[in-house]
């Protein structure tokens, strides 16, 4: 018998399958050779070592932001500020990678720590506003995204920009600041190790510590947690600090692992993508790995499909939209869950 405790896993799988079926129907309508096009989309990312590397490379920043947003969502904080923090922390890490000279492994470590700490401080501001004055965290975080992007772009244009380059990019990073590649023939870097370690630590924190329990209880029912003696204001500030630290580390790792200059002249979008990863993972840190890899896989598949067939890569937006719509629809398959609960109650 299908247990109700597995319902959310089944529901997420159903959402993904429905989104893919809709995408395949669209491909069948617009492509001259739909079977070949669908085959490219599904299997081409596994066709070579380089393509597999591309999937993992794209998944690394998605894991960072997905983990950060999942902690916020678990505390019932609908904060989308990881986007601005990710960007601005990349600027901070880039400044240290350009202007500082440190030997050995210290240079990237200092740059990443600086970006992470700045990210935690910036993320704490909406948290303090929420905890002390109940300011809407969605509004304040979205405002901070624009503010941080504007400040970061100013620093790029007037402090870090290389006037000799034929583009709006920074000076080159010192070679000592760049992260090492860990798999030859790909651009997979040591940031993968960092994010996997963070995910394990976040899982331990959330389910094995008193602070994690307080975070989960605050998210489930803030009033009940407060009446139980938990200091919910501190919990809210703490989760914002942790999420900002993780998102900040993600931005720092991304620029030092994938680039030799800072070249983001627009928000990279990974923070908002992190919300989709968190939703697919049901705010479970360990599930963030699979969710990020899935999202990276279909994006690389869509990119290869656009290059090797007659279907544009924008088709991936349809899949993402359907996933968001069905995941956020509380009534989707709810009738089935209710039937399972009633059946299990009768058997008990």
């Amino acid at each position: 018998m299908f247990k109700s405790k597995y319902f959310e896993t089944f529901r997420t799988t159903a959402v993904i399958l429905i989104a893919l079926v809709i995408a395949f129907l669209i491909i069948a309508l617009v492509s001259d050779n739909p079977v070949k096009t669908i085959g490219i989309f599904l299997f081409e990312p596994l066709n070579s070592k380089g393509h597999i590397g591309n999937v993992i490379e794209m998944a690394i920043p998605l894991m960072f932001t997905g983990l950060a947003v999942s902690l916020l969502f678990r505390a019932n904080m609908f904060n989308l500020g990881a986007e601005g923090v990710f960007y601005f922390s990349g600027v901070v890490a880039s400044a240290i990678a350009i202007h500082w000279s440190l030997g050995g492994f210290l240079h990237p470590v200092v740059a990443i720590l600086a970006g992470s700490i700045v990210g935690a401080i910036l993320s704490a501001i909406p948290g303090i506003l929420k905890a002390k004055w109940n300011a809407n965290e969605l509004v304040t975080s979205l405002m901070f995204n624009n503010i941080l992007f504007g400040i970061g772009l100013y620093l790029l244009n007037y402090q870090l920009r290389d006037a000799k380059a034929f583009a709006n990019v920074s000076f080159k990073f010192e070679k000592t600041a760049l992260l090492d590649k860990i798999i030859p023939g790909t651009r997979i870097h040591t940031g993968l190790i960092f994010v996997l370690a963070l995910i394990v630590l976040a899982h331990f924190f959330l389910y094995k510590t008193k602070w994690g329990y307080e975070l989960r209880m605050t998210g489930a029912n803030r009033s009940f947690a407060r009446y139980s003696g938990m200091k919910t204001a501190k919990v809210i500030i703490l989760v914002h600090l942790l999420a900002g630290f993780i998102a900040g580390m993600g931005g720092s790792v991304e620029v030092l692992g994938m680039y030799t200059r800072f070249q983001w002249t627009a928000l990279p979008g990974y923070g908002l993508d992190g919300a989709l990863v968190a939703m697919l993972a049901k705010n479970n840190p360990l599930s963030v790995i699979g969710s990020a890899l899935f999202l990276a896989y279909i994006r690389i598949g869509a990119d290869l499909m656009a290059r090797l067939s007659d279907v544009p890569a924008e088709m991936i937006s349809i899949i993402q939209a359907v996933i968001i719509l069905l995941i956020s629809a509380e009534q989707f398959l709810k009738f089935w869950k209710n039937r399972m609960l009633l059946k299990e109650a009768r058997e008990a």
Side-chain angles (χ1 to χ4, degrees), residues 283-334:
N283 304 328
N284 185 319
L286 293 181
S287 298
V288 164
I289 300 172
S291 300
L293 286 171
F294 168 75
L295 186 57
Y297 187 93
I298 61 175
R299 287 187 172 181
I300 295 299
D303 180 64
L304 292 169
M305 179 182 65
R307 285 189 276 159
L308 301 175
S309 73
D310 54 353
V311 177
E314 285 73 17
M315 187 272 298
I316 197 66
S317 299
I318 299 173
I319 299 179
Q320 293 181 187
V322 173
I323 290 174
I324 293 172
L325 177 65
L326 295 180
I327 285 286
S328 60
E330 294 183 2
Q331 298 302 317
F332 179 64
L333 296 181
K334 188 175 182 179

Side-chain angles (χ1 to χ4, degrees), residues 189-200:
H189 50 80
T190 50
L192 177 62
I193 300 172
F194 295 159
V195 72
L196 292 177
L198 272 181
I199 288 172
V200 173

Side-chain angles (χ1 to χ4, degrees), residues 1-321:
M1 183 186 66
F2 186 81
K3 298 290 186 181
S4 60
K5 64 181 179 179
Y6 301 120
F7 172 77
E8 289 299 334
T9 300
F10 173 80
R11 184 174 182 270
T12 302
T13 304
V15 167
I16 293 171
L17 290 176
I18 290 171
L20 289 175
V21 168
I22 292 174
F24 295 159
L25 290 174
I26 294 173
I27 291 173
L29 290 173
V30 303
S31 177
D32 294 331
N33 192 343
V35 175
K36 178 183 177 183
T37 302
I38 292 173
I40 293 172
F41 175 69
L42 289 178
F43 304 114
E44 192 64 27
L46 297 175
N47 198 34
S48 70
K49 182 179 181 181
H51 291 167
I52 296 173
N54 291 338
V55 172
I56 298 175
E57 293 154 19
M58 181 176 286
I60 292 173
L62 294 175
M63 288 184 202
F64 274 111
T65 55
L67 179 62
V69 176
S70 67
L71 291 177
L72 290 166
F73 284 2
R74 180 52 72 95
N76 200 24
M77 296 288 109
F78 199 72
N79 184 315
L80 298 179
E83 180 73 12
V85 169
F86 189 92
Y87 177 88
F88 193 80
S89 296
V91 175
V92 172
S94 298
I96 293 177
I98 293 168
H99 296 300
W100 288 32
S101 295
L102 296 170
F105 69 94
L106 283 178
H107 203 168
V109 169
V110 170
I112 291 170
L113 278 178
S116 304
I117 293 170
V118 168
I121 294 171
L122 293 173
S123 179
I125 297 174
I128 294 171
L129 294 175
K130 176 67 176 181
K132 299 297 183 183
W133 295 284
N134 202 31
N136 188 293
E137 70 277 7
L138 175 60
V139 175
T140 54
S141 63
L142 291 176
M143 290 174 61
F144 264 85
N145 284 345
N146 291 326
I147 293 170
L148 294 176
F149 171 62
I151 297 174
L153 199 58
Y154 171 84
L155 292 175
L156 172 61
N157 285 325
Y158 295 99
Q159 302 297 326
L160 304 177
R161 185 174 178 224
D162 185 357
K164 297 179 181 179
F166 296 101
N168 192 13
V169 296
S170 73
F171 293 102
K172 283 190 174 183
F173 301 151
E174 294 287 338
K175 290 184 178 180
T176 53
L178 301 178
L179 294 178
D180 294 329
K181 303 298 184 286
I182 57 177
I183 299 180
T186 71
R187 295 188 299 169
I188 300 173
H189 50 80
T190 50
L192 177 62
I193 300 172
F194 295 159
V195 72
L196 292 177
L198 272 181
I199 288 172
V200 173
L201 290 173
H203 178 82
F204 179 84
F205 168 81
L206 203 57
Y207 295 105
K208 302 294 183 181
T209 67
K210 180 187 75 172
W211 302 283
Y213 174 77
E214 291 180 349
L215 188 155
R216 288 185 285 122
M217 290 302 101
T218 300
N221 191 322
R222 185 180 175 186
S223 298
F224 176 80
R226 184 169 59 249
Y227 293 142
S228 300
M230 299 179 189
K231 298 179 180 178
T232 56
K234 289 186 177 180
V235 172
I236 291 171
I237 295 172
L238 173 63
V239 72
H240 278 82
L241 283 168
L242 291 175
F245 185 90
I246 294 169
M249 181 178 289
S252 305
V253 164
E254 181 68 4
V255 296
L256 299 182
M258 297 296 291
Y259 304 98
T260 57
R261 304 172 184 259
F262 186 85
Q263 56 192 55
W264 292 338
T265 55
L267 291 174
Y270 289 118
L272 299 179
D273 291 336
L276 178 56
V277 171
M279 292 170 69
L280 283 172
K282 309 305 294 184
N283 304 328
N284 185 319
L286 293 181
S287 298
V288 164
I289 300 172
S291 300
L293 286 171
F294 168 75
L295 186 57
Y297 187 93
I298 61 175
R299 287 187 172 181
I300 295 299
D303 180 64
L304 292 169
M305 179 182 65
R307 285 189 276 159
L308 301 175
S309 73
D310 54 353
V311 177
E314 285 73 17
M315 187 272 298
I316 197 66
S317 299
I318 299 173
I319 299 179
Q320 293 181 187

